[in-house]
Amino acid sequence: MNLEQLWNEHHEHVRNFVLHKTNHHADTEDIVQMTFMKAYEGMARLQDEEKRRAWIFQIARNSIVDHFRKEKKTVALLDNVTIVEEEPVADCNSEAAEGMMSILTRMPDKYREALELSELQGMSQKQLSEHLNISYSGAKSRVQRGRELVKEMMTSCCTIEADHYGNIVEYSVIHDEPKPKKKSD
């Protein structure tokens, strides 16, 4: 199939799709053209001709994301824009991390181990399930429950305030002995 045939067969549908996804953005035609250029370049790699339509729409989705990612990076500041310096934010993250490490030692072993392996050592939850010889959903639940316990224990003993980026800007210990709440699994 040549580019013209590809265009004639799918252009209207792809254009409507991109218009809808971009809320009628002015660059719709550029995105549509980029979609067809990428599709034409990759036609030789498409193994199942019956999936061509879905494949082109996936390229369109990726082209939309690529376009706006690039646009976001290249937005120019106007000359009359005043840049307001934000006050430096106190870095309480390391202090809170120390408190969290202290809490990990007080957690039930199965949750502590799951969090140490997944969060601190970077083990995927799939790898965790194999390592602990439990089901994948069991590993996911254990990590999630461990996270909930850490949050409960941290908020029961500490005051934590974060900025809109998730950086901890205020951290203080109310009392030293957080206790996990008893819940049945």
Side-chain angles (χ1 to χ4, degrees):
M1 175 174 278
N2 67 30
L3 183 57
E4 187 176 353
Q5 291 171 318
L6 188 67
W7 180 271
N8 289 336
E9 188 175 328
H10 298 286
H11 174 259
E12 184 179 343
H13 299 290
V14 171
R15 184 177 183 279
N16 290 338
F17 173 79
V18 173
L19 272 171
H20 175 74
K21 291 293 185 184
T22 63
N23 201 18
H24 295 269
H25 194 274
D27 293 338
T28 294
E29 287 304 323
D30 292 341
I31 296 168
V32 171
Q33 287 179 5
M34 184 56 64
T35 298
F36 280 95
M37 294 297 290
K38 289 177 183 177
Y40 183 70
E41 289 171 3
M43 285 293 288
R45 293 187 305 270
L46 181 62
Q47 295 174 355
D48 188 351
E49 295 293 320
E50 292 179 12
K51 294 184 180 180
R52 181 183 302 132
R53 181 180 168 92
W55 177 70
I56 290 173
F57 278 90
Q58 185 59 49
I59 293 171
R61 281 184 202 88
N62 294 342
S63 295
I64 292 167
V65 170
D66 291 346
H67 178 81
F68 286 105
R69 185 180 298 138
K70 187 181 349 172
E71 184 179 271
K72 186 177 177 182
K73 289 179 183 177
T74 59
V75 171
L77 291 176
L78 301 174
D79 290 337
N80 61 352
V81 172
T82 306
I83 299 175
V84 178
E85 293 287 328
E86 289 186 25
E87 289 185 32
V89 176
D91 182 17
C92 298
N93 289 329
S94 58
E95 189 179 346
E98 285 179 30
M100 189 170 65
M101 293 306 289
S102 166
I103 283 177
L104 277 176
T105 63
R106 297 180 181 126
M107 291 181 65
D109 289 341
K110 68 181 186 179
Y111 300 118
R112 179 190 45 74
E113 181 181 24
L115 287 178
E116 285 176 347
L117 292 172
S118 65
E119 304 295 334
L120 301 178
Q121 294 180 20
M123 189 178 279
S124 72
Q125 292 181 2
K126 177 79 171 142
Q127 293 168 325
L128 179 68
S129 70
E130 292 166 2
H131 180 79
L132 297 177
N133 199 24
I134 59 175
S135 69
Y136 177 60
S137 63
K140 287 172 56 175
S141 295
R142 195 168 289 184
V143 169
Q144 186 64 33
R145 179 66 184 129
R147 289 175 183 160
E148 290 170 7
L149 280 172
V150 167
K151 183 177 179 181
E152 287 174 14
M153 293 170 75
M154 288 289 287
T155 56
S156 74
C157 73
C158 309
T159 301
I160 303 169
E161 217 177 290
D163 64 11
H164 57 279
Y165 298 109
N167 298 312
I168 298 173
V169 294
E170 184 153 335
Y171 173 81
S172 59
V173 177
I174 300 168
H175 54 83
D176 286 334
E177 289 298 318
K179 301 273 189 253
K181 294 181 183 174
K182 296 287 182 189
K183 276 191 178 176
S184 60
D185 287 352

